Amino acid sequence: MTNDETTIEQEPAVEPSRSLVIPRLPDDALILLPVRNMVLFPNMLVPVGVGRAKSILAARQAVQHEQPMGVLLQRDAAVEDPGAEDLHTVGAVANVMRFVNGREGHHHLVLQGVERFRVTEFLEGYPFLVGRVERIAEYQPEGPEIDARMLALRDKALEALELLPQAPQELAGALTSIKEPGVLADSVAGYLDLGSEERQELLETFDIETRLERVLSLVDYRVEVLKLSQKISERTHETMSERQREALLREQLRSIQEELGESDEKGEEIRELEQRIDDAQMPEEVDKQARKELRRLERMPEGAGEYSMLRTYLDWLLELPWSLERDEDIDIDRAREILDADHYGLEPVKRRILEHLAVRKLNPEGRSPILCFVGPPGVGKTSLGQSIARATGRDFMRASLGGVHDEAEIRGHRRTYLGALPGKIIQSIHKAGSRNPVLMLDEMDKLGGGIQGDPSAALLEVLDPAQNGTFQDNYLGVPFDLTGVFFIATANVPDQIPGPLRDRMEMIEIPGYTQEEKVEIARRYLLDRQRAGAGLTAEQLEVTDAAMHRIVAEYTREAGCRQLERELGAVARHFAVRIADGSLERARVDAGDIADILGAPRFEGEVAMRTSVPGVATGLAWTPVGGDILFIEANRSQGSGRLVLTGQLGDVMKESAQTALSLIKARADQLDLDISSLQSDDVHVHVPAGAIPKDGPSAGVAMYSALVSLLTGRCIREDVAMTGEITLRGLVLPVGGIKEKVLAARRAGIHTVLLPARNRKDYEDIPESAREDMTFHWIEHVEEATEIALRAAETDTAAAAG
């Protein structure tokens, strides 16, 4: 509530001509004074500045003839010469208490409001505004409701005066002495800090009860605003006073230290940390924790053992990218180009990666599944993750989980331990420098467990999109949002990943490469890399495709390309020596040169040699590093009818051999065998490479064929390999790893493969080149396998004679 002084915009004063004749005003007419931004209430005494010529003339006329004036509010304060349409029709009759001539046209009036009026007609023929008016008499209602409203209004008005620091004390006494409700409402409204339109609305409210209600609500609102403003002011003052006091004390401390020749390194360090906290844009909970630890550090002496630990903790908090994100720009065409440029083949895998990226582009906030690349070593699982990072414009980080057996490696150590650090997840994000990198969790199947806990259990929260938004590292002690991280996992054997963890990921199998694919990969990527590593150029060293084919066929036997790259590196280093000593300027390597460089071939076709006698069958096996061929050897000797199994066979494989022998005994008549000989002879089944453990049911068909070959004396064809599980009814059941097994057979020079009929669905996974130069037989019963694989008896006799 303030005592407003509104000055009307001034114009140069014009003195009235002495010959100017002003007609006499009718009895019900008033001289009208238009004002800007000011409303006069009855019983109010206010100063008014006038500067427009008509207003000055009107004021002089009213003073000279001792006439009252009617004060009206302009609708638009910008109008310089207002007419009837520019004024409100309700105003206040005012007596001119004083007229003061000022300099340069600045004149002032002191007006006292008398009563309300309404203009009924504006009159013409006057040099100023004149209008017929209807004076509005105000009745004074009585009753308990009026008294209650007056009491409430007076109390609120006095409360408002107390909240105003510069309010005059006599105003409170004046309000207390007012007995008429209308006068009280007008007086409070006149001193209340309101806009001109609100005041005009109160002036036009003739009903006193309604006017009291309206003024009371305005005063009540104003009181609440003043209370809130006072509270904010006090709080700000306290904060400023505390900061000023702290700044003063620090300045004094700095001056004392300068006088003593001491430096305030700790103070500088604290100020630097505080500034870093202000700039880190951490979440509210983390910011609160950081400031709390900073206060502890400030009170702690630098020599304390916990000082360095606390300082390291604050550094970790401040260096983490809490809000820094790399802009993700997923362009499917560009991603396809990057994947094709970085990897040869792997079309199903590339297609699934592009699908994943397309979903992320269309639904960035969606919860995409965690991808897990499963395949043998050297097939490009890690480089696929790097290509995804390039395609999305993110940082790439790799965390190796091989051999991790402590849960703290994932979740971090408690700060109470000496040398404690965050876990691999937080460390990787810290190194990446952004909160949304591509993070590859490598060797997921090599996780261990022990007395320190199970790290795979800690990964359950990390790899669950519904939970990792509040991942809490034990070292940090505050949640970190991992929803922006693009997790990719890798593994060689999916069965060794714990079930709950495997359930949180989508397995994408990456099989081994064919011989043609390896040659293409060597020509596109590996040779250039090894040449550069040896310091050679393409002009200095050329390796023909024939040479690469020989290296792949005779010096490597793997699903991936790591051994192939090592052999190419050996070739490059061989010629690097000769080029370095000046004995050679450039070299061209052909197939005939490989043996001189790499030595004798390490792998050769031993299938024909091993299957040239009865009782030897070629099986197919799956290993973590790809497919491989497996020889089943059977022999018989005098004994007691025992079945002897050797070669580090697992329980399942032993049961397959027992099943095969039982099936042969049951079908001895069909096979034209003498069953009595089996009761007196021992049958010995051996699987070479006895130092390597072997297990699984897929050797059942090969074991059955080897035993039939032994007992019938017929050899198995050297160009045939087989796989499949058998039952006591002679059925052949499906097995896994068909593609890897077929590629292993092809690498070994085998062109005919016997596969379970129920594995026909896996035919599409076999590479086109293998399907073209190999023959596949889909068998349902073991008899079909022996019919295809066993040679005729006369052929065997001829072979033995030869």
Side-chain angles (χ1 to χ4, degrees):
M1 185 179 297
T2 59
N3 188 353
D4 286 333
E5 252 186 62
T6 305
T7 303
I8 299 176
E9 190 173 332
Q10 300 171 356
E11 295 180 2
V14 179
E15 290 293 333
S17 174
R18 295 188 181 275
S19 61
L20 181 63
V21 178
I22 299 175
R24 181 177 179 276
L25 270 63
D27 294 338
D28 58 349
L30 283 177
I31 299 172
L32 301 179
L33 177 66
V35 294
R36 297 184 179 106
N37 304 322
M38 192 274 290
V39 175
L40 178 65
F41 285 95
N43 301 300
M44 281 188 65
L45 188 67
V46 294
V48 178
V50 292
R52 290 182 286 200
K54 288 185 178 181
S55 299
I56 296 173
L57 185 60
R60 291 185 183 280
Q61 178 70 15
V63 171
Q64 290 175 5
H65 295 83
E66 298 183 352
Q67 293 175 334
M69 302 182 70
V71 181
L72 292 176
L73 175 66
Q74 286 185 210
R75 296 183 185 275
D76 185 0
V79 178
E80 292 298 330
D81 188 14
E85 68 280 359
D86 300 318
L87 301 174
H88 287 276
T89 57
V90 176
V93 178
N95 291 326
V96 181
M97 306 303 294
R98 189 174 181 184
F99 183 89
V100 179
N101 288 315
R103 296 179 180 179
E104 299 179 359
H106 294 275
H107 305 283
H108 298 277
L109 298 176
V110 178
L111 303 178
Q112 183 175 26
V114 179
E115 59 183 343
R116 288 172 169 80
F117 73 91
R118 179 189 289 112
V119 178
T120 59
E121 180 187 1
F122 286 90
L123 301 179
E124 301 291 339
Y126 294 90
F128 41 75
L129 291 175
V130 175
R132 294 183 184 273
V133 300
E134 174 191 357
R135 298 184 183 234
I136 300 172
E138 197 164 87
Y139 70 99
Q140 299 298 332
E142 297 180 354
E145 292 187 2
I146 296 296
D147 293 341
R149 288 186 175 86
M150 285 184 63
L151 182 60
L153 179 58
R154 185 181 290 112
D155 291 343
K156 280 293 180 184
L158 294 175
E159 185 177 359
L161 290 175
E162 292 177 359
L163 294 173
L164 289 171
Q166 298 180 352
Q169 295 295 326
E170 58 272 11
L171 185 57
L175 291 177
T176 306
S177 62
I178 297 175
K179 305 300 182 184
E180 295 81 5
V183 177
L184 179 62
D186 289 342
S187 299
V188 174
Y191 291 106
L192 195 62
D193 185 14
L194 298 175
S196 57
E197 292 300 327
E198 287 181 308
R199 293 192 177 198
Q200 181 66 30
E201 181 184 351
L202 290 173
L203 187 66
E204 295 177 2
T205 304
F206 302 140
D207 183 71
I208 294 180
E209 188 174 349
T210 305
R211 195 190 309 160
L212 284 170
E213 289 284 351
R214 177 63 179 157
V215 175
L216 180 60
S217 65
L218 291 172
V219 175
D220 188 53
Y221 173 78
R222 184 60 177 164
V223 166
E224 294 302 321
V225 171
L226 288 172
K227 286 182 178 179
L228 183 59
S229 175
Q230 187 179 44
K231 186 181 298 184
I232 294 173
S233 177
E234 291 175 355
R235 189 183 308 146
T236 305
H237 180 71
E238 291 175 0
T239 304
M240 292 299 295
S241 298
E242 184 177 348
R243 290 183 179 178
Q244 290 170 355
R245 176 176 174 274
E246 181 179 352
L248 178 62
L249 291 176
R250 290 189 182 280
E251 187 63 33
Q252 291 176 349
L253 178 61
R254 191 177 299 110
S255 300
I256 294 173
Q257 289 174 336
E258 289 177 357
E259 290 294 330
L260 295 176
E262 299 176 355
S263 61
D264 185 20
E265 295 181 359
K266 181 180 178 181
E268 292 294 335
E269 183 180 17
I270 296 298
R271 284 189 291 275
E272 178 189 351
L273 288 173
E274 188 171 12
Q275 183 61 42
R276 290 173 61 189
I277 292 175
D278 294 337
D279 299 338
Q281 298 180 1
M282 298 183 289
E284 182 179 356
E285 181 179 354
V286 183
D287 186 270
K288 183 178 179 181
Q289 175 73 10
R291 296 185 186 279
K292 175 183 175 182
E293 298 298 339
L294 180 62
R295 290 193 295 270
R296 286 184 58 205
L297 186 72
E298 189 175 6
R299 295 191 298 268
M300 192 178 298
E302 294 187 48
E306 195 179 352
Y307 186 89
S308 61
M309 297 171 59
L310 194 54
R311 174 59 201 269
T312 303
Y313 172 73
L314 284 173
D315 284 338
W316 270 103
L317 276 185
L318 295 174
E319 291 172 3
L320 282 175
W322 297 97
S323 58
L324 178 60
E325 287 188 349
R326 296 282 185 263
D327 293 334
E328 187 176 54
D329 181 19
I330 298 178
D331 187 332
I332 301 301
D333 292 335
R334 184 167 62 89
R336 184 181 290 108
E337 293 175 0
I338 291 174
L339 289 173
D340 290 339
D342 293 349
H343 302 85
Y344 178 77
L346 304 178
E347 296 304 326
V349 179
K350 293 178 184 176
R351 184 171 59 251
R352 181 62 189 90
I353 291 174
L354 291 175
E355 292 171 356
H356 188 85
L357 295 179
V359 171
R360 289 190 67 90
K361 179 177 182 179
L362 298 176
N363 185 17
E365 303 300 326
R367 294 175 179 175
S368 303
I370 308 297
L371 300 182
C372 181
F373 298 145
V374 178
V379 295
K381 299 187 294 296
T382 302
S383 59
L384 277 171
Q386 294 172 339
S387 299
I388 292 174
R390 284 181 55 203
T392 57
R394 298 187 180 204
D395 301 297
F396 176 79
M397 292 304 301
R398 173 181 168 273
S400 178
L401 302 181
V404 172
H405 57 83
D406 188 353
E407 181 186 354
E409 292 288 331
I410 306 298
R411 284 193 175 275
H413 302 80
R414 303 284 181 185
R415 280 193 290 148
T416 53
Y417 299 108
L418 188 64
L421 285 173
K424 286 182 175 291
I425 306 299
I426 296 297
Q427 287 188 39
S428 299
I429 294 174
H430 173 259
K431 291 178 184 177
S434 62
R435 60 186 297 268
N436 61 337
V438 174
L439 179 54
M440 174 164 281
L441 303 176
D442 215 359
E443 309 294 349
M444 185 75 73
D445 55 333
K446 308 300 190 301
L447 282 170
I451 59 175
Q452 292 90 357
D454 187 357
S456 64
L459 285 173
L460 293 177
E461 179 185 5
V462 174
L463 298 181
D464 191 342
Q467 300 180 29
N468 60 13
T470 56
F471 173 73
Q472 185 159 321
D473 188 276
N474 290 332
Y475 181 80
L476 298 181
V478 290
F480 191 93
D481 187 2
L482 298 179
T483 54
V485 180
F486 194 149
F487 286 104
I488 299 175
T490 70
N492 298 130
V493 185
D495 295 339
Q496 295 181 6
I497 302 176
L501 190 57
R502 189 169 61 246
D503 184 59
R504 282 165 166 75
M505 300 182 292
E506 178 181 345
M507 300 294 170
I508 299 179
E509 294 188 2
I510 304 178
Y513 296 107
T514 63
Q515 183 169 328
E516 290 77 9
E517 288 175 336
K518 287 185 178 180
V519 171
E520 191 68 28
I521 292 171
R523 184 169 59 244
R524 292 191 182 190
Y525 312 108
L526 306 184
L527 181 59
D528 290 340
R529 196 154 58 207
Q530 291 304 315
R531 270 193 302 229
L536 302 177
T537 64
E539 291 77 16
Q540 292 174 313
L541 176 62
E542 179 186 354
V543 181
T544 65
D545 287 351
M548 290 186 184
H549 275 285
R550 186 173 182 185
I551 294 175
V552 171
E554 299 181 4
Y555 293 86
T556 67
R557 186 166 289 177
E558 56 176 348
C561 297
R562 288 181 180 169
Q563 183 62 30
L564 174 59
E565 186 171 5
R566 282 191 284 267
E567 299 299 336
L568 289 174
V571 173
R573 291 191 298 272
H574 174 82
F575 287 100
V577 174
R578 301 180 60 184
I579 292 175
D581 63 15
S583 62
L584 189 69
E585 291 185 1
R586 54 181 301 173
R588 185 177 187 271
V589 183
D590 209 344
D593 305 321
I594 297 300
D596 296 333
I597 300 172
L598 299 180
R602 297 186 181 90
F603 302 97
E604 58 185 9
E606 57 180 349
V607 178
M609 179 184 66
R610 289 203 173 189
T611 59
S612 61
V613 295
V616 180
T618 304
L620 297 174
W622 179 92
T623 70
V625 295
D628 200 359
I629 61 173
L630 193 70
F631 293 101
I632 310 294
E633 299 178 349
N635 204 349
R636 62 189 297 181
S637 61
Q638 290 185 351
S640 57
R642 294 181 304 150
L643 175 63
V644 181
L645 303 173
T646 58
Q648 282 210 57
L649 307 184
D651 292 339
V652 177
M653 207 164 185
K654 291 178 180 179
E655 292 171 357
S656 295
Q658 293 170 351
T659 302
L661 185 59
S662 297
L663 184 58
I664 291 173
K665 290 180 179 179
R667 301 190 177 187
D669 295 338
Q670 300 177 17
L671 297 172
D672 195 19
L673 297 176
D674 183 8
I675 192 67
S676 60
S677 64
L678 291 177
Q679 296 175 353
S680 60
D681 292 346
D682 290 341
V683 176
H684 186 173
V685 177
H686 176 68
V687 182
I692 301 174
K694 312 166 192 71
D695 201 4
S698 61
V701 173
M703 287 184 170
Y704 176 85
S705 300
L707 290 173
V708 172
S709 172
L710 171 69
L711 298 175
T712 60
R714 299 164 59 188
C715 294
I716 295 177
R717 292 166 49 189
E718 67 273 4
D719 64 338
V720 174
M722 59 199 74
T723 185
E725 181 183 356
I726 62 172
T727 70
L728 286 175
R729 295 177 293 165
L731 297 177
V732 179
L733 301 183
V735 293
I738 293 298
K739 178 182 177 181
E740 289 81 1
K741 293 176 179 178
V742 170
L743 294 180
R746 189 172 183 235
R747 287 195 297 267
I750 296 173
H751 298 286
T752 302
V753 180
L754 309 183
L755 301 173
R758 291 167 63 180
N759 277 115
R760 194 182 294 270
K761 63 181 184 299
D762 299 315
Y763 182 74
E764 296 298 328
D765 295 336
I766 300 173
E768 184 68 27
S769 59
R771 285 186 283 178
E772 290 177 355
D773 60 5
M774 297 184 73
T775 303
F776 300 93
H777 294 277
W778 306 95
I779 59 176
E780 295 184 358
H781 298 85
V782 289
E783 291 84 357
E784 301 175 31
T786 54
E787 289 176 3
I788 298 171
L790 291 180
R791 295 173 177 173
E794 57 271 15
T795 305
D796 295 338
T797 304

